[in-house]
Amino acid sequence: MQWYFVATLLTILTSSQGILTTLSQSNGGYKYDYATVPFLAEFFKLVVSSFLLWREIRTSSPRMTTDWKSVRLFPIPSIIYLIHNNVQFATLTYVDTSTYQIMGNLKIVTTGILFRLFLRRKLSNLQWMAVVLLAVGTTTSQVKGCGEASCDSLFSAPIQGYTLGILSACLSALAGVYTEFLMKKNNDSLYWQNVELYTFGSIFNMFRLLMDDFRGGFEKGPWWQRLFDGYSITTWMVVLNLGSTGLLVSWLMKYADNIVKVYSTSMAMLLTMLLSVYLFSFKPTLQLFLGIIICMMSLHMYFAPANMLVDVPSVKAAPENLREISVERRTDS
């Protein structure tokens, strides 16, 4: 399976996440406990990966590293994401939603930096320019008109908000880069690595639900008794969407890299905005179209061969020059 097919499918599924989540609301709110969705998505990924691993074991002998020194590394991404989620909430206490979304684009650049530092993957100068252009393009598409109040709020947040926003971007990039390191550190079966990853993911999400119950004093009862309360067909589609995108991301981490994932999710954000024009009467802005153009330029700069981006004139010697060179060589000999 080619990586660009998986990346395209990831873009389509990711772009529909926000739309499905919005459609799952009722009267502007959720009838279900939204914290149960990530848990069910992790459990779905675990079940699918276990089934695929079982099929692989029946037909071949996949490599599976089971020693504790290897297994103990797999909870780390879940721990990073847990810290990242708490930093997200802390950031939103200092900045508004639009400012947070714009600062979130820093993870594009931080992913490139950590990609270079930790995975020792070198990017060319053109690719670095493409990554920065991608961050500029996604940010441009989200910036509203400067006549609006939100334009002023972008630069009026306290320093704690910007600090936490940068930390959030770094944690998001670190989780992705570390996951790629885990998937590529040996030749273990992808499905076995997924089982390890999603087992701990399910445990940590279960722990989060339990902590929410303790904070609420078990007012609504334990989480397992209300796990499916308020669920509709659309809600289940959200769960399946999140689970499927997670499986696609793990494939990209194994056989492609983080930069491909960053491009997929960035393009998905732009696609979501375009779809919202028709589904939710979202009014497109000039900034949106400019952002799309910049992102397309970035996409071409990063993945196109160098000879398509830079014209290198071919130098051909004239026949007269060749004859002169041959005469000189005969004379010297």
Side-chain angles (χ1 to χ4, degrees):
M1 188 160 40
Q2 298 292 335
W3 67 263
Y4 46 80
F5 172 76
V6 177
T8 302
L9 188 57
L10 177 62
T11 299
I12 295 171
L13 288 178
T14 305
S15 65
S16 62
Q17 278 180 9
I19 295 171
L20 288 173
T21 303
T22 302
L23 293 175
S24 70
Q25 295 179 354
S26 178
N27 298 322
Y30 300 105
K31 287 186 176 181
Y32 57 93
D33 184 357
Y34 188 72
T36 60
V37 173
F39 167 73
L40 290 174
E42 289 292 314
F43 186 72
F44 168 78
K45 290 184 283 186
L46 177 59
V47 170
V48 171
S49 299
S50 300
F51 173 74
L52 293 174
L53 178 63
W54 172 74
R55 283 188 57 187
E56 189 177 32
I57 292 174
R58 289 188 62 186
T59 57
S60 62
S61 300
R63 175 174 172 175
M64 295 185 293
T65 304
T66 57
D67 65 282
W68 174 241
K69 289 183 178 179
S70 177
V71 174
R72 68 182 180 183
L73 300 176
F74 281 84
I76 296 177
S78 298
I79 295 172
I80 296 174
Y81 279 121
L82 185 65
I83 298 172
H84 173 252
N85 291 336
N86 288 316
V87 172
Q88 276 184 315
F89 284 110
T91 305
L92 287 168
T93 62
Y94 293 100
V95 302
D96 57 28
T97 306
S98 58
T99 303
Y100 175 77
Q101 288 177 341
I102 291 172
M103 287 197 301
N105 294 319
L106 287 172
K107 69 176 177 287
I108 297 173
V109 178
T110 53
T111 297
I113 294 172
L114 295 179
F115 188 72
R116 175 70 181 91
L117 293 177
F118 291 109
L119 299 181
R120 305 297 182 186
R121 300 286 296 277
K122 187 176 180 180
L123 300 180
S124 67
N125 291 336
L126 277 174
Q127 288 177 323
W128 274 116
M129 291 172 62
V131 169
V132 174
L133 266 183
L134 180 64
V136 172
T138 52
T139 302
T140 301
S141 67
Q142 294 171 334
V143 173
K144 297 181 180 180
C146 285
E148 302 181 26
S150 60
C151 185
D152 297 330
S153 66
L154 179 61
F155 302 103
S156 60
I159 189 64
Q160 295 95 322
Y162 297 119
T163 304
L164 289 171
I166 294 171
L167 178 60
S168 176
C170 292
L171 287 171
S172 176
L174 179 61
V177 170
Y178 186 82
T179 302
E180 181 178 346
F181 162 75
L182 284 180
M183 305 303 276
K184 292 179 177 176
K185 72 183 180 70
N186 55 35
N187 293 323
D188 278 7
S189 164
L190 169 65
Y191 307 129
W192 166 243
Q193 290 177 320
N194 279 348
V195 167
E196 294 177 279
L197 202 60
Y198 301 138
T199 297
F200 289 109
S202 300
I203 292 172
F204 277 93
N205 276 277
M206 190 187 305
F207 176 74
R208 180 197 169 186
L209 289 171
L210 192 60
M211 291 301 297
D212 289 343
D213 286 343
F214 273 108
R215 290 194 198 101
F218 289 90
E219 183 179 352
K220 298 179 181 180
W223 63 270
W224 57 86
Q225 291 184 0
R226 50 184 169 80
L227 184 60
F228 306 117
D229 288 355
Y231 268 59
S232 63
I233 295 177
T234 310
T235 313
W236 282 111
M237 289 177 67
V238 174
V239 172
L240 293 177
N241 185 292
L242 284 172
S244 301
T245 53
L247 292 170
L248 291 175
V249 167
S250 68
W251 192 96
L252 287 177
M253 294 297 100
K254 182 76 170 179
Y255 300 111
D257 56 49
N258 260 282
I259 304 297
V260 174
K261 187 201 79 170
V262 165
Y263 270 95
S264 295
T265 53
S266 299
M267 295 302 166
M269 181 195 66
L270 298 175
L271 182 57
T272 301
M273 290 182 179
L274 289 176
L275 292 174
S276 298
V277 173
Y278 300 99
L279 295 176
F280 305 116
S281 300
F282 173 75
K283 292 182 180 180
T285 62
L286 175 62
Q287 291 91 328
L288 173 60
F289 291 113
L290 289 175
I292 292 174
I293 293 172
I294 295 172
C295 288
M296 290 303 174
M297 291 171 59
S298 168
L299 185 68
H300 179 67
M301 284 179 63
Y302 190 89
F303 292 104
N307 57 3
M308 290 181 61
L309 301 173
V310 181
D311 291 330
V312 180
S314 56
V315 180
K316 293 183 179 180
E320 293 81 3
N321 294 338
L322 290 175
R323 281 195 289 269
E324 290 175 4
I325 292 172
S326 62
V327 170
E328 289 178 0
R329 286 180 176 174
R330 289 173 187 170
T331 305
D332 294 339
S333 60

